[in-house]
Amino acid sequence: MAERRPGWLARRGGAPGEEFQALFAALPEGLALLDAAGLVQVANPALGRMAGPALPLRPGLPAALLLREEARPSFAALLSRALAGETPPPLAAAPADPLAAADTSWELAAEPWRGGGGAAGGALLLRVTDRTAALRAEARLATAGRFETVGKLAGGIAHDFNNLLAIILGSAAALREAGLTAAQAEDLGALEDAARRGAGLVAQLLAFAQQQPVAPLVLDLNAALRGMAPLLRRLLGGRIALELALEEPGRRVRIDPGQLDQLVLNLVANACQAMAEGGRLRLATGHAVVLRPEGEGPGGLPPGRYAVLEVADSGAGIPPEILPRLFEPFFTTRPEKGGTGLGLATVQGIVAQAGGQITVASRVGEGTSFRIHLPRQEAPAELPVGQEGAAPPEAAPVQAAPGPVLLVDDEAPLARLGEALLRRAGYQVVVADSAESALEAVEKGLAPAALVSDVAMPGEDGLALARRLRQRWPGLPVLLLSGYAESLVGTPPAAEGFRFLAKPFAPAALRQLLAEMLPGVAQSG
């Protein structure tokens, strides 16, 4: 006897609905037909795959078992309203499958089924859509927008904070030069150390925001890691073994050498904290070819050839509820131990700035692995400036006008400190609190020997002032100061023959640059 098909799969007139059955089976959306009691009568393969192997979808199975227990009352209400002829809004719920990811989310909709001439009176059509990928993409876009906002704020925060740190360090230097007792010098050293640590935090903010100045070079990744290995072994100590698994031939990447060091050191420091009782740290390199885009938005990986760096530890692992927040700035699981939440955010910023992607995989009790893809380079490896074996070309000498140094800064404390520092170094100084005041002094006859100016000021900025003075004195030495990263100044200052010094700076650095710009002008140190 031929198998009898349920009435709701038959067309009007009793013929089997073969076209409908084929469509029902082929749709990617999870579908099931339920009786009035909410029992599955038939389900398509897509819903079977969504339910997972732990729950075979057989006729008579209560459809509520597809969902976690806490969602079942809401699901029963959804079915009841659909049976009553209403159109209830879709229900968002998590599946009961124990193997499903923690963030898996389904959207369920139910409506009366009137197929087959009403032979299945009161039956329901259940539609189940897996919204997980879409929600993850939305979350990534929201996170990217939040990070972009923080990134924009970071530049302004850095400027103001660096100005404050410059005042602290400049005042400390003035006190030190005035003469101190040993106890006072020790106390002052603690203050200076705290200010420098603050400057380091600002640098991490800028790295996260991808706004710090960089000097990328083509580097041999294996050679760079071998060069770091002795330092890493000292950092890891005797209880953690370092294993290098470097694929040959080595691949080349384009990245700032200092940022590569910072990236690896941050990941290694994290691994150390995860292996308090000892363990094994593995640094491995490899390669990958991406044929189609992977991931969405700015964190995605476009097709191309990549060098791969993996940093894996045998530590305690990361709980799954923490993994999604791992790269958030200011998120830390160690606030009581001084954690700032900037380490991994900085790493992600560095990787993104180099055109790459970082991912993490972890299981509690089994360790953590960070995997970084960086675009491969075919050009020969380069050496940092000073290691090329040949002296860099000397800058062409400039003719300074006979006159004082023109110091321009709208921050009165910084202007006073700068003036005192330059006068102690033997320079004549004229101070202006804005570009407009400086230009007014020039119109009254001031012919400066050099310009030392803050960049960000109300009204005309320091860069525009430098250009206007250069029109009058083409060889005028110019030193620009800024609490912003050099990359935010606009056109690289060096491209216009300007020198740049980031705040906060050591007084000796300012004196050294001026000595290079104005050789023989200062009379005393």
Side-chain angles (χ1 to χ4, degrees):
M1 177 182 290
E3 179 183 349
R4 182 179 178 184
R5 292 181 173 84
W8 31 256
L9 285 179
R11 294 175 180 163
R12 295 184 186 275
E18 293 179 0
E19 293 178 2
F20 170 79
Q21 292 181 63
L23 180 62
F24 185 83
L27 285 173
E29 182 182 36
L31 297 172
L33 292 170
L34 313 181
D35 66 12
L39 304 181
V40 173
Q41 299 302 291
V42 68
N44 71 346
L47 186 57
R49 290 190 294 270
M50 292 170 67
L55 188 67
L57 294 184
R58 299 187 179 95
L61 177 79
L65 295 182
L66 290 166
L67 308 177
R68 291 183 187 171
E69 191 169 350
E70 61 270 20
R72 291 172 189 172
S74 298
F75 180 68
L78 175 80
L79 299 185
S80 177
R81 292 181 63 183
L83 282 170
E86 298 181 35
T87 306
L91 170 67
D97 182 8
L99 300 180
D103 63 341
T104 302
S105 179
W106 288 356
E107 187 175 89
L108 301 97
E111 60 188 65
W113 173 251
R114 306 216 184 342
L124 296 171
L125 173 65
L126 177 67
R127 298 197 310 272
V128 184
T129 305
D130 191 339
R131 292 272 299 149
T132 309
L135 292 175
R136 287 174 180 169
E138 290 171 10
R140 279 194 293 270
L141 289 173
T143 300
R146 190 164 66 249
F147 283 6
E148 183 180 358
T149 300
V150 175
K152 289 177 180 177
L153 288 172
I157 292 171
H159 174 264
D160 294 341
F161 195 40
N162 280 335
N163 272 346
L164 295 173
L165 293 173
I167 294 170
I168 294 170
L169 290 173
S171 300
L175 289 172
R176 193 175 290 281
E177 291 178 2
L180 301 170
T181 66
Q184 290 171 332
E186 183 178 353
D187 290 341
L188 190 62
L191 182 149
E192 290 170 322
D193 182 60
R196 292 188 188 100
R197 288 179 62 190
L201 287 177
V202 173
Q204 288 198 38
L205 266 176
L206 293 174
F208 152 70
Q210 302 176 39
Q211 292 181 352
Q212 78 283 37
V214 295
L217 298 173
V218 177
L219 303 177
D220 183 305
L221 187 57
N222 285 359
L225 294 175
R226 287 193 189 99
M228 291 188 69
L231 171 63
L232 297 179
R233 287 193 171 94
R234 288 195 295 272
L235 176 64
L236 295 171
R239 293 184 298 177
I240 300 176
L242 175 64
E243 174 189 343
L244 294 181
L246 308 180
E247 182 184 67
E248 295 293 349
R251 269 70 183 183
R252 294 180 293 279
V253 298
R254 184 172 178 80
I255 190 171
D256 183 290
Q259 286 195 332
L260 178 60
D261 291 350
Q262 185 181 10
L263 179 157
V264 174
L265 287 171
N266 265 328
L267 293 178
V268 169
N270 265 28
C272 284
Q273 292 155 5
M275 296 185 287
E277 304 302 320
R280 185 183 71 259
L281 178 71
R282 183 174 183 268
L283 265 63
T285 58
H287 68 285
V289 178
V290 176
L291 299 178
R292 57 181 60 87
E294 296 183 1
E296 301 90 0
L301 199 63
R305 291 151 58 87
Y306 292 88
V308 180
L309 167 62
E310 186 176 10
V311 181
D313 66 65
S314 60
I318 302 169
E321 65 271 15
I322 291 178
L323 275 175
R325 303 191 63 190
L326 207 58
F327 296 105
E328 285 187 20
F330 312 115
F331 173 75
T332 178
T333 58
R334 301 178 296 104
E336 73 286 350
K337 296 182 180 178
T340 63
L342 285 173
L344 290 177
T346 298
V347 168
Q348 188 180 55
I350 290 171
V351 172
Q353 196 164 32
Q357 181 194 63
I358 181 169
T359 57
V360 58
S362 184
R363 285 184 178 274
V364 174
E366 297 181 17
T368 301
S369 173
F370 289 90
R371 193 171 175 84
I372 297 165
H373 286 70
L374 294 171
R376 284 171 55 183
Q377 303 291 323
E378 301 303 326
E382 301 171 298
L383 290 174
V385 174
Q387 299 181 18
E388 305 93 332
E394 293 187 3
V398 296
Q399 281 299 125
V405 172
L406 175 57
L407 174 64
V408 187
D409 201 314
D410 62 305
E411 291 277 352
L414 281 174
R416 288 195 298 269
L417 284 169
E419 180 183 13
L421 175 63
L422 295 180
R423 289 193 185 280
R424 284 199 300 271
Y427 297 99
Q428 300 177 42
V429 184
V430 170
V431 179
D433 61 3
S434 66
E436 290 76 13
S437 297
L439 291 171
E440 185 178 343
V442 167
E443 291 304 317
K444 291 180 178 178
L446 174 66
L451 171 67
V452 178
S453 176
D454 190 21
V455 174
M457 297 184 293
E460 194 167 276
D461 65 24
L463 192 59
L465 171 63
R467 289 168 179 158
R468 291 183 63 171
L469 294 185
R470 273 284 182 88
Q471 290 176 356
R472 186 161 184 168
W473 296 288
L476 180 71
V478 173
L479 175 59
L480 297 174
L481 311 174
S482 182
Y484 286 110
E486 184 176 357
S487 58
L488 296 186
V489 171
T491 304
E496 300 186 54
F498 304 150
R499 307 293 287 270
F500 183 87
L501 186 58
K503 300 175 184 178
F505 51 80
L510 177 60
R511 286 195 293 260
Q512 175 64 29
L513 280 174
L514 273 177
E516 294 172 7
M517 293 164 58
L518 298 173
V521 173
Q523 300 301 312
S524 61

